[in-house]
Amino acid sequence: MGSKLKNALVPKHEILDEKKSEKILKFYNITPNELPRMLKSDPAIRELNPKVGDIVGITRISPTAGNAFYYRLVIEG
Amino acid sequence: MKPENLPEKLRETYNRLDKKGKQEFLDDYQKASVVTGEAVGTVAAQSIGEPGTQMTLRTFHYAGVVELAVPLGLPRLIEIIDAKRTPKNPIMTIFLDKNHSKDKEHAEKIAKKLHEEYLKDVCTISIDVKKKALRVETKDEEAEKIIEKLTEKKGDNGVFSITEKSLSELKKLKNKLEKKRLIGVKGIQRTFVREYHGEYVIYAEGSNLKAVLNIEGVDKDRTTTNDIFQIYETLGIEAARNAIIVEAKKVLDEQNLEVDMRHIMLVADQMTVTGEVQAVGRTGISGAKESVLARAAFEETEKHILNAAIYGEIDTLDGVAENIIIGQPIPVGTGTVELAVKPMKSKKDKK
């Protein structure tokens, strides 16, 4: 399940299931509130029907690190 | 460190190595990454700030397209970092889809469609004070139809004479007619078709990403604008982050200043951390700091201290600035480590 927005600037977004979310929080030893945020109405994830509190996994194509993984917490907005 | 996470350039080198070499390569790569507690923000600030002093303070450079004034140099960098809503010189680069990118005529047709044209561009509108009439002359047939529709009056060979009761109403009508858009996309003032790496690309002065992406024949994948806020609104926060990096890098490259990507990426990450594009400065990142002392030390000291006193804010002293004020070791580098003790059972308990 990825974003339907097609543009070179938009990396792949996906909403993580509970199991994966937990794994990530455990790996970084953080609570969801410590993650970077992302608005619920963000055009890149609007079609994925995100819920507030979901964690979105972003696969960036980084010029310095190949595929870089980034996570954002969906917030109201 | 997994080999599939290596940058593409490095992966080629990596694949050429034997098994032992591969492991060493990964270890070295791991070693080169930033150490925990490193003050990356300070390093980034200085790394971008120092070349900034060498930048031309006022440049209007012509990048690629002669007709378009592209603001580069320090003013543009400040624009990006301050997250200005609209850039001084918004510019769009519109790519065409595969079927049409080689066709110059088609490109020009689309370019003409994009460019906005108002009624005042094709007619002469004047007020006759004596007769209390508005005189509109036009040679454009399309414009004629629109004027007829707006004023519900028939024109005589492209000449309209509209009478109103008062002068103020005439002025109102004149304004209304002048602002009527005939064709084009709102915000795009001029367009040019240029050849770029063997295909035709439209450059546009003015920007309206949302509308342009919906036009048929436009490559939705590559079309961009230098208006970061528009990118944020149409493509989302991650695209805005990428745009900040691309734009900032472009400015620095243009002046032959070598700044490592990672510094710019860090700034872009911080600017987008809340899900909205924030400026660096008192309205954005620095103003949103948790610590009262850190905010007061930056700008608007009285305001922050007064508010903190009224609301009874508590400073937990987790950051750097506040600890410098207090005179304590700062949580950077070796200072990040706190003493941790694992309580062991005493010998007596074991027995």
Side-chain angles (χ1 to χ4, degrees):
Chain A
M1 208 163 60
S3 170
K4 281 173 199 159
L5 256 184
K6 264 187 103 185
N7 193 290
L9 288 172
V10 185
K12 190 180 150 208
H13 290 66
E14 55 186 342
I15 292 172
L16 303 182
D17 53 36
E18 223 160 88
K19 216 173 156 191
K20 256 186 180 171
S21 308
E22 224 153 81
K23 205 174 143 196
I24 275 138
L25 293 178
K26 210 174 170 191
F27 179 79
Y28 291 106
N29 192 18
I30 49 170
T31 58
N33 277 331
E34 287 171 85
L35 282 170
R37 315 276 163 89
M38 174 175 225
L39 298 188
K40 195 182 160 193
S41 60
D42 196 280
I45 52 164
R46 208 181 283 153
E47 282 150 353
L48 306 178
N49 292 327
K51 288 192 296 290
V52 172
D54 277 348
I55 293 173
V56 177
I58 296 152
T59 314
R60 290 171 174 172
I61 299 159
S62 162
T64 55
N67 282 337
F69 304 105
Y70 202 72
Y71 304 96
R72 282 182 190 272
L73 177 75
V74 179
I75 56 165
E76 195 66 61
Chain B
M1 190 71 214
K2 281 176 196 161
E4 57 261 35
N5 290 345
L6 286 172
E8 230 159 83
K9 278 185 220 158
L10 289 179
R11 217 178 303 160
E12 278 171 33
T13 331
Y14 174 81
N15 285 336
R16 263 186 267 129
L17 296 167
D18 58 2
K19 204 180 173 190
K20 197 187 161 201
K22 275 180 180 170
Q23 194 50 50
E24 269 176 27
F25 187 93
L26 286 182
D27 287 347
D28 282 354
Y29 189 84
Q30 189 81 57
K31 257 185 217 162
S33 61
V34 177
V35 188
T36 314
E38 179 83 50
V40 281
T42 314
V43 176
Q46 291 186 349
S47 304
I48 297 172
E50 195 276 331
T53 62
Q54 296 171 36
M55 271 203 269
T56 345
L57 292 176
R58 231 184 139 64
T59 44
F60 282 88
H61 198 93
Y62 300 106
V65 189
V66 185
E67 291 94 334
L68 286 177
V70 188
L72 290 173
L74 204 58
R76 175 68 184 141
L77 194 66
I78 291 170
E79 221 172 64
I80 296 163
I81 289 184
D82 278 350
K84 289 265 158 68
R85 283 257 153 163
T86 40
K88 234 178 177 178
N89 287 303
I91 282 162
M92 282 196 83
T93 316
I94 302 159
F95 287 88
L96 302 172
D97 60 16
K98 274 179 203 155
N99 306 333
H100 305 298
S101 61
K102 299 257 157 68
D103 185 354
K104 194 178 181 185
E105 265 175 43
H106 188 86
E108 267 165 3
K109 220 167 91 189
I110 291 184
K112 218 180 162 192
K113 228 166 55 179
L114 290 172
H115 159 86
E116 63 177 352
E117 208 166 69
Y118 288 93
L119 257 186
K120 65 175 175 191
D121 297 330
V122 290
C123 4
T124 46
I125 306 173
S126 55
I127 297 178
D128 193 330
V129 185
K130 266 186 193 166
K131 287 182 194 163
K132 281 189 183 168
L134 194 70
R135 209 180 131 80
V136 186
E137 271 181 67
T138 180
K139 281 170 186 161
D140 199 292
E141 280 177 23
E142 288 283 314
E144 232 175 291
K145 273 181 207 160
I146 284 169
I147 295 169
E148 268 175 26
K149 217 176 177 184
L150 276 176
T151 61
E152 294 169 354
K153 278 190 182 139
K154 285 268 170 209
D156 177 27
N157 229 350
V159 181
F160 291 82
S161 183
I162 306 143
T163 46
E164 286 282 351
K165 278 171 204 157
S166 66
L167 270 180
S168 61
E169 265 178 59
L170 272 182
K171 264 183 194 153
K172 246 189 225 164
L173 187 68
K174 190 185 169 203
N175 274 337
K176 193 182 156 196
L177 285 180
E178 275 179 347
K179 276 186 190 148
K180 179 75 194 167
R181 197 172 67 238
L182 286 178
I183 46 163
V185 174
K186 197 182 171 193
I188 290 180
Q189 282 122 34
R190 289 201 294 167
T191 49
F192 306 96
V193 177
R194 285 289 169 276
E195 202 174 348
Y196 176 79
H197 290 288
E199 59 175 325
Y200 290 98
V201 178
I202 303 168
Y203 292 95
E205 205 170 286
S207 176
N208 190 341
L209 188 65
K210 207 172 206 166
V212 169
L213 284 185
N214 284 331
I215 286 171
E216 222 174 291
V218 168
D219 188 342
K220 291 186 175 68
D221 204 13
R222 292 179 297 160
T223 298
T224 56
T225 164
N226 71 349
D227 189 333
I228 288 160
F229 203 77
Q230 276 187 6
I231 291 181
Y232 166 61
E233 279 183 331
T234 42
L235 298 173
I237 192 72
E238 277 295 314
R241 187 198 89 108
N242 279 331
I244 291 170
I245 296 169
V246 170
E247 290 292 321
K249 189 80 187 148
K250 209 158 73 185
V251 175
L252 293 163
D253 280 351
E254 196 64 38
Q255 311 254 328
N256 288 325
L257 297 170
E258 232 173 81
V259 176
D260 199 287
M261 274 300 259
R262 282 158 257 242
H263 299 312
I264 303 166
M265 281 157 73
L266 183 78
V267 172
D269 269 340
Q270 264 314 305
M271 283 173 73
T272 56
V273 82
T274 56
E276 284 173 89
V277 182
Q278 270 188 312
V280 183
R282 75 164 167 269
T283 52
I285 297 169
S286 304
K289 276 182 193 164
E290 208 167 298
S291 160
V292 191
L293 290 173
R295 268 182 283 131
F298 178 59
E299 269 174 18
E300 300 178 312
T301 311
E302 302 91 335
K303 183 185 124 189
H304 288 301
I305 291 183
L306 186 67
N307 278 338
I310 293 170
Y311 296 113
E313 278 180 51
I314 293 168
D315 201 322
T316 46
L317 303 178
D318 293 324
V320 176
E322 51 266 41
N323 277 304
I324 293 174
I325 296 169
I326 306 276
Q328 280 185 4
I330 53 170
V332 162
T334 47
T336 14
V337 190
E338 275 173 27
L339 192 62
V341 180
K342 218 178 199 175
M344 278 198 307
K345 281 179 184 170
S346 64
K347 279 176 188 171
K348 278 178 191 171
D349 289 340
K350 273 180 188 173
K351 281 171 190 172

